[in-house]
């Protein structure tokens, strides 16, 4: 027997050591090991720390579009501010135009499956059978002393080697001259920029984006941003001021980031008067460039040149669109702290729906997003019509959606309006709350889609909206290929990135707002995050921590399941027991009398599972509490009062099983014999001690005839057929869902 203590000690020691090397990671354990530790740059509360820093880059750019050769030529001076504590011996710039080179490392890898039948356009995407020139020609790079700087180009990134180290707190100016062939957007997949050709009138509409060499981000969490541009993961950029001059054919109209500085030089007196009137037109848009004026421009095709000058403050990028085909309308939008000009540019192919709806959609987005976060701070918000795209840049977005022969279906119209709202909304995420799209696409797409859907619900209630049910098919997909939200942008499967980076984060935020935290508290926390990190670079941990900090709610269990795993929600209402208390005072300690319910089967642990409520309640005796159970307390419960309070009441014990793996709040709908109903909400913390099965007891005045879990489909439960008692067949439950969804 002397060996027994040694054996027990050895077992406990091994268990302890194993626990240290493999810590328990239950669903409610902190996510500290999954996110970066807080520091003086980023605090444990999710706010920027006292030592937070970020770099800055100002740009002076002159560019010219040669319409005959479809070439853009430019020169720029970049002033780069080293606000980091580090000394830099080289700089990295982004050269996104190089992604269009045929030898690009990611060429043809998006949706690259060959089939028995394939369209010529799809074959062009995969093989570039018809080749075309693409990518930057860097002509020179010089420092402020006109000395050449050495460079090395790695695909879509360019290293500039400095002649002298750039110390902390210093700045450097250098100039670059470059050119590149503007590509035909119809010739390659995921075309965010380029030109669209219109054969009918032999004209182009130029969408010019990621068009100049620009500074990559150098941050406290990554150093130099080092992920190549591969089209899905978009941009990580620094804030700065822009002075831009763009020379185009004299009859072109330009829409651009920033304020037009020389309107008197590029617009007629009549157009200037219209633009001035639009600044006080709060009820409807005013046409600045009419259809008749655009038609005249298309017909004449001027060979002269005109330079447009723009200035933009504190933005992280600059984009523009140019065409002689553009009509232009504008309307003032009054926000609590400023007035914004909402403007739309479109060719005749966008009529009539763009003239009717585009600027109104911008206005709706500006108002709803501003109310949810902070007032839109820039002077203009622009929507430009093009084909097959929805793409955002500071103050300007390129948006698809066109009628055919002047007619558009309600579905297509809704899609167009949704696209405009979504892309305008990107001004907040990530153009101002500047997350790294190249690394965490969900931080801009998910948060933006969440507010985009809120805008649709508030301003276009008849349009369909994303709800938790929308994500169910995705979450029940093949676990061998599903990936969690916390997946780097370019590493997601092409046919899944929409669900994983747009819809699933949106649904997660909807659940936090509507079912877990509550609207008022969540809205305040979301607003806190937006204001903490506007004009800064947040990471996922900053969002996670801020939502907890501003709500006093432990959400690690939700983050862990929803963002870091591919588990899904499937809560099963596996059993309900109905009791009434025997009203006579009984001292038969440990004994009770029971009216047997109708039994369908026994559970795996011997528990009985009732089929329905038809046999009435089980009767239980509530015995007096023995003195020994009170320990050292000398006071006693008023047992007669307890019996009085329970007299005639119905006691229901529910058993809920976690089939899918994700813990969630338990939402219980009670339907009573008189036809009335009510809902009880049990916080997710009920799963803390048992993540697989919970029991909960309720006292009800009325008799229950039916119980449903998640009756309003708030939690993305993947199997609603196991959510009810008495049990229902699959068809009836599916019909119930369809009926509820349609209502």
């Amino acid at each position: 027997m002397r060996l027994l203590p040694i054996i027990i000690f050895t077992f406990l020691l091994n268990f302890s050591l194993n626990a240290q090397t493999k810590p328990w990671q239950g669903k409610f354990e902190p996510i500290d090991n999954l996110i970066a530790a807080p520091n003086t740059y980023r605090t444990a509360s999710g706010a920027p720390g006292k030592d937070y820093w970020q770099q800055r880059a100002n740009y002076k750019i002159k560019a010219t579009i040669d319409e005959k050769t479809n070439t853009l030529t430019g020169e720029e001076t970049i002033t780069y501010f080293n606000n980091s504590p580090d000394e830099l011996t080289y700089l990295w710039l982004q050269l996104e135009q190089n992604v269009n080179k045929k030898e690009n490392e990611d060429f043809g890898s998006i949706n690259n499956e060959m089939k028995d039948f394939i369209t010529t356009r799809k074959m062009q995407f995969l093989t570039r059978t018809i080749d075309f020139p693409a990518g930057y020609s860097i002509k020179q790079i010089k420092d402020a002393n006109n000395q050449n700087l050495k460079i090395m180009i790695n695909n879509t990134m360019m290293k500039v080697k400095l002649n002298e180290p750039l110390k902390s707190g210093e700045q450097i100016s250098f100039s670059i001259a470059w050119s590149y062939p503007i590509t035909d957007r119809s010739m390659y997949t995921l075309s965010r920029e380029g030109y669209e050709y219109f054969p009918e009138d032999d004209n182009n509409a130029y969408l010019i984006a990621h068009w100049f060499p620009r500074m990559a981000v150098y941050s406290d969490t990554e150093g130099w941003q080092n992920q190549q541009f591969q089209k899905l993961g978009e941009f990580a950029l620094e804030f700065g001021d822009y002075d831009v001059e763009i020379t185009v054919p004299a009859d072109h109209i330009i829409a651009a980031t920033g304020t037009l500085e020389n309107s008197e030089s590029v617009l007629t007196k009549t157009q200037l008067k219209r633009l001035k009137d639009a600044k006080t037109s709060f009820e409807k848009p005013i046409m600045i460039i009419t259809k008749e004026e655009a038609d005249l421009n298309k017909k004449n095709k001027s060979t002269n040149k005109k330079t447009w000058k723009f200035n933009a403050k504190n933005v992280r990028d600059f984009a523009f669109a140019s065409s002689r085909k553009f009509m232009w309308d504008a309307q003032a939008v009054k926000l609590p702290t400023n007035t914004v000009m909402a403007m739309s540019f479109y060719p005749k192919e966008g009529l009539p729906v763009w003239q009717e709806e585009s600027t109104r959609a911008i206005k709706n987005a500006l108002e709803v997003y501003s109310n949810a976060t902070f007032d839109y701070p820039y002077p203009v918000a622009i929507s430009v019509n093009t084909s097959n795209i929805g793409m955002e840049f500071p103050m300007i977005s390129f948006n698809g959606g066109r009628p055919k022969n002047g007619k558009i279906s309600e579905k297509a119209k809704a899609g167009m309006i949704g696209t405009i709202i979504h892309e305008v909304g990107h001004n907040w995420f990530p153009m101002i709350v500047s997350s790294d799209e190249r690394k965490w696409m969900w931080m801009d797409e998910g948060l933006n889609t969440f507010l985009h859907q809120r805008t649709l619900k508030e301003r276009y209630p008849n349009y369909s909206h994303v709800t938790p049910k929308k994500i169910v098919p995705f979450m029940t997909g093949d676990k061998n290929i599903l990936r969690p939200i916390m997946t780097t942008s370019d590493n997601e499967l092409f046919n899944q990135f929409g669900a994983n980076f747009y819809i699933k984060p949106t649904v997660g935020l909807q659940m936090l707002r509507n079912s877990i935290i509550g609207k008022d508290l969540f809205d305040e926390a979301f607003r806190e995050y937006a204001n903490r990190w506007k004009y800064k670079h947040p990471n996922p941990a900053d969002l996670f921590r801020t939502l907890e900090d501003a709500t006093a709610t432990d959400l690690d269990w939700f983050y862990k399941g929803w963002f870091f795993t591919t588990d899904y929600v499937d809560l099963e209402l596996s059993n309900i027991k109905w009791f009434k208390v025997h009203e006579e005072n009984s001292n038969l300690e440990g004994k009770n009398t029971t009216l047997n319910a109708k039994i369908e089967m026994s559970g795996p642990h011997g528990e009985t599972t009732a089929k329905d409520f038809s046999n009435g309640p089980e009767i239980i005796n509530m015995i007096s509490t023995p003195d020994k159970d009170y320990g050292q307390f000398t006071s006693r419960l008023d047992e007669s009062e307890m019996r009085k309070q329970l007299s005639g009441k119905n006691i229901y014990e529910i058993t809920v099983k976690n089939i899918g793996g994700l813990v969630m709040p338990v939402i219980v709908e009670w339907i009573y014999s008189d036809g009335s109903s009510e809902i009880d909400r049990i916080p997710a913390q009920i799963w803390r001690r048992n993540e697989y099965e919970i029991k909960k007891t309720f006292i009800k005045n009325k008799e229950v005839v039916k119980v449903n879990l998640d009756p309003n489909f708030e939690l993305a439960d993947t199997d609603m057929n196991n959510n009810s008692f008495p049990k229902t067949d699959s068809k009836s439950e599916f019909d119930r869902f369809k009926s509820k969804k349609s209502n």
Side-chain angles (χ1 to χ4, degrees):
M1 294 298 293
R2 293 174 64 102
L3 288 175
L4 185 58
I6 298 175
I7 293 172
I8 294 174
F9 174 77
T10 303
F11 170 78
L12 292 175
L13 178 62
N14 288 336
F15 179 82
S16 175
L17 291 173
N18 186 59
Q20 291 175 23
T21 56
K22 295 182 179 179
W24 165 247
Q25 280 301 313
K27 300 183 189 302
F28 286 91
E29 296 308 304
I31 62 170
D32 296 355
N33 65 319
L34 301 175
I35 58 177
N39 50 46
T40 59
Y41 305 131
R42 298 167 189 269
T43 69
S45 70
K50 64 183 179 65
D51 295 325
Y52 177 82
W53 57 268
Q54 67 187 47
Q55 311 291 63
R56 187 173 181 86
N58 294 338
Y59 297 82
K60 290 189 176 181
I61 308 174
K62 293 183 179 181
T64 300
I65 291 179
D66 186 328
E67 193 174 29
K68 291 183 179 179
T69 62
N70 288 323
T71 300
L72 185 145
T73 302
E75 57 185 45
E76 65 181 336
T77 297
I78 302 175
T79 302
Y80 184 71
F81 300 83
N82 183 14
N83 299 321
S84 79
D86 308 323
E87 182 177 278
L88 304 176
T89 58
Y90 52 82
L91 310 176
W92 279 103
L93 282 76
Q94 299 187 25
L95 301 180
E96 285 96 338
Q97 284 298 324
N98 286 355
V99 77
N100 295 322
K101 290 184 175 181
K102 189 172 182 178
E103 61 269 23
N104 176 272
E105 66 179 25
D106 201 50
F107 173 75
S109 70
I110 297 177
N111 198 19
N112 59 351
E113 181 182 2
M114 293 292 292
K115 298 180 180 179
D116 292 341
F117 296 92
I118 190 168
T119 66
T120 54
R121 187 165 183 259
K122 177 68 180 295
M123 183 65 81
Q124 172 67 15
F125 292 165
L126 294 178
T127 65
R128 193 179 287 182
T129 306
I130 301 173
D131 203 5
F132 51 82
Y136 284 102
S137 295
I138 303 297
K139 299 177 181 179
Q140 65 178 28
I141 300 183
K142 294 180 179 292
D143 65 16
N145 297 319
N146 206 34
Q147 299 296 310
N148 290 325
L149 294 171
K150 294 180 180 179
I151 64 171
M152 294 183 68
I153 295 178
N154 177 17
N155 199 22
T156 63
M157 302 290 291
M158 177 171 69
K159 177 190 278 189
V160 177
K161 299 180 180 181
L162 302 179
N163 293 329
E164 294 181 3
L166 181 61
K167 296 180 180 178
S168 175
E170 293 184 345
Q171 66 186 63
I172 185 174
S173 292
F174 59 101
S175 61
I176 305 176
W178 80 94
S179 66
Y180 71 89
I182 305 170
T183 52
D184 183 342
R185 288 187 51 241
S186 69
M187 296 288 280
Y188 61 98
T189 190
L190 283 181
S191 56
R192 289 171 166 80
E193 51 74 42
Y195 68 85
E196 179 182 0
Y197 177 62
F198 294 85
E200 180 183 355
D201 51 32
D202 188 32
N203 273 296
N204 292 331
Y206 293 94
L207 307 181
I208 307 300
H210 42 89
W211 54 283
F212 57 99
R214 50 195 178 161
M215 296 303 306
V217 168
Y218 184 79
S219 71
D220 61 286
T221 56
E222 192 176 8
W224 284 110
Q225 172 262 315
N226 52 47
Q227 290 176 277
Q228 296 284 341
F229 179 47
Q230 296 176 335
K231 294 192 177 181
L232 285 180
E234 291 168 358
F235 317 120
L237 299 165
E238 302 288 10
F239 286 96
D241 298 337
Y242 286 75
D243 285 311
V244 180
E245 297 183 10
I246 306 164
T247 301
V248 294
D251 50 9
H252 271 221
I253 300 299
I254 293 183
T257 300
T259 301
L260 177 60
E261 296 289 302
N262 66 331
S263 55
E264 71 286 346
S265 300
V266 295
L267 301 178
T268 67
K269 289 182 179 180
T270 301
Q271 292 162 354
L272 284 170
K273 173 66 165 55
R274 294 169 186 162
L275 186 59
K276 180 180 178 181
D277 291 344
K279 292 178 180 179
T280 57
S281 178
F282 296 97
E283 299 302 320
K284 64 179 182 179
I286 289 179
M287 295 301 301
I288 313 301
I289 304 291
T290 66
K291 181 178 183 299
E292 291 72 24
E293 289 165 334
D295 287 342
L296 189 62
N297 288 338
K298 289 186 300 181
K299 181 178 180 181
N300 292 336
K301 284 193 178 181
S302 173
T303 57
N304 296 325
K305 299 288 185 179
K306 189 180 289 185
T307 298
W308 296 58
K309 298 180 181 181
F310 295 90
N311 178 271
K313 300 293 186 184
N314 210 25
V315 294
R316 71 174 210 164
D317 199 3
F318 189 103
F320 69 95
S322 180
S323 179
R324 61 175 56 87
K325 290 176 64 69
F326 284 154
M327 287 169 270
W328 172 10
D329 70 50
Q331 176 181 349
V333 180
K334 184 67 176 175
L335 299 175
T337 59
N338 65 314
T339 298
V340 181
M341 292 300 294
M343 303 194 293
S344 297
F345 294 74
Y346 40 91
K348 72 177 182 64
E349 286 76 9
L351 293 175
V353 66
W354 268 74
Q355 188 171 347
E356 297 166 349
E357 298 290 351
S358 176
T359 299
R360 185 164 76 98
I362 299 171
K363 177 178 182 290
N364 287 330
L366 291 174
E367 291 172 343
V368 175
Y369 277 74
S370 293
N371 182 60
T373 55
F374 49 80
D375 282 357
Y376 183 82
Y378 296 131
V380 299
I382 298 171
S383 172
V384 180
N385 177 235
T386 183
S387 62
N388 301 59
I389 194 176
M391 190 60 207
E392 73 281 0
F393 305 93
M395 304 188 222
I396 187 170
S397 56
F398 306 150
N399 303 310
R402 284 179 180 155
K404 291 184 178 180
N405 300 318
K407 299 185 185 221
I408 190 168
S409 69
E410 280 302 311
K411 182 178 179 181
K413 180 179 173 181
M416 180 201 88
I417 290 171
T419 298
I420 294 170
I421 289 171
H422 182 90
E423 305 308 338
V424 170
H426 270 306
N427 278 285
W428 282 265
F429 307 98
M431 298 303 158
I432 298 174
V433 183
S434 183
S435 56
D436 183 349
E437 298 176 82
R438 197 156 294 181
K439 198 165 190 177
W440 304 117
M441 180 184 283
W442 70 267
M443 284 196 73
D444 66 283
E445 296 297 356
L447 273 61
N448 181 44
T449 303
F450 168 67
L451 291 183
H452 152 210
Q453 292 298 312
R454 186 167 159 184
T455 305
L456 287 178
K457 189 172 183 180
E458 291 183 16
R459 300 299 174 93
Y460 303 88
N462 294 327
Y463 287 177
S464 62
H465 312 112
V466 168
T467 65
K469 202 68 182 177
K470 180 81 172 179
I471 200 63
V472 166
F474 171 73
M475 296 188 72
T476 54
D478 184 353
K479 292 291 183 181
N480 292 317
I481 60 174
L482 283 183
R483 296 171 185 177
I485 293 174
M486 292 293 289
T487 299
T488 304
S489 304
D490 286 299
N491 295 335
E492 180 59 276
L493 297 178
F494 182 66
N495 61 351
Q496 293 185 0
F497 82 93
N500 214 20
F501 293 149
Y502 292 67
I503 306 304
K504 190 177 176 184
T506 294
V507 169
L509 293 172
Q510 289 175 341
M511 291 193 295
L512 286 174
R513 184 175 191 250
N514 300 325
S515 306
I516 297 171
I517 296 174
K519 290 184 180 179
D520 291 342
L521 195 56
F522 175 87
D523 288 350
E524 191 169 298
F526 193 80
R527 193 175 292 112
E528 180 72 24
Y529 166 73
N531 281 277
R532 280 180 175 182
W533 288 98
K534 62 183 177 182
Y535 305 115
K536 296 182 177 68
H537 300 315
N539 291 327
D542 303 314
L543 171 63
F544 295 153
R545 287 175 170 136
T546 295
L547 292 183
E548 290 187 319
D549 179 72
T551 62
T553 306
D554 175 13
L555 298 171
D556 280 17
W557 62 271
F558 182 80
Y559 301 147
K560 180 180 289 187
W562 197 257
F563 288 89
F564 289 91
T565 78
T566 58
D567 291 346
Y568 57 93
V569 182
D570 182 8
L571 301 184
E572 176 188 79
L573 183 56
S574 63
N575 195 16
I576 293 185
K577 292 183 179 181
W578 176 22
F579 301 96
K580 284 194 174 184
V581 173
H582 192 277
E583 296 186 17
E584 294 182 7
N585 189 1
S586 172
N587 289 314
L588 298 175
E589 186 173 341
K591 297 182 180 179
N592 66 340
T593 59
T594 304
L595 292 178
N596 291 323
K598 186 177 180 182
I599 303 302
E600 182 183 60
M601 61 182 177
S602 294
H605 302 294
E607 75 274 15
T608 56
T609 304
K611 180 180 179 181
D612 54 36
F613 298 111
S614 61
N615 275 16
E618 298 183 39
I619 305 301
I620 59 174
N621 282 321
M622 188 171 67
I623 64 174
S624 299
T625 304
D627 286 345
K628 65 181 181 62
D629 287 359
Y630 283 100
Q632 297 178 10
F633 290 106
T634 58
S635 61
R636 297 292 183 268
L637 289 171
D638 186 342
E639 296 190 356
S640 62
E641 179 62 24
M642 282 197 64
R643 293 180 183 282
K644 179 181 176 182
Q645 292 296 329
L646 290 172
S647 177
K649 301 292 178 66
N650 301 283
I651 303 174
Y652 295 93
E653 178 198 76
I654 69 170
T655 302
V656 182
K657 293 183 178 179
N658 180 4
I659 306 299
L662 277 186
V663 294
M664 280 289 163
V666 180
I667 304 173
V668 186
E669 178 187 46
W670 307 89
I671 300 176
Y672 299 112
S673 57
D674 64 0
S676 63
S677 64
E678 69 173 330
I679 288 178
D680 284 314
R681 294 175 177 269
I682 311 169
Q685 283 70 17
I686 195 172
W687 298 96
R688 282 187 178 275
R689 292 174 180 83
N690 187 335
E691 299 169 354
Y692 309 101
E693 180 180 288
I694 55 100
K695 296 179 186 292
K696 178 71 174 175
T697 301
F698 300 85
I699 299 174
K700 301 296 179 183
N701 292 324
K702 302 176 183 179
E703 288 189 5
V704 173
V705 295
K706 188 174 180 61
V707 183
N708 299 310
L709 295 184
D710 192 18
N712 297 314
F713 310 100
E714 299 176 39
L715 303 177
D717 196 309
T718 58
D719 184 3
M720 300 302 294
N721 295 309
N722 59 10
N723 283 31
S724 298
F725 185 93
K727 303 296 182 183
T728 56
D729 60 61
S730 299
K731 185 177 186 304
S732 64
E733 193 62 20
F734 178 70
D735 290 342
R736 184 175 77 88
F737 164 67
K738 285 200 303 182
S739 174
K740 201 147 202 170
K741 186 176 182 182
S742 64
N743 292 333

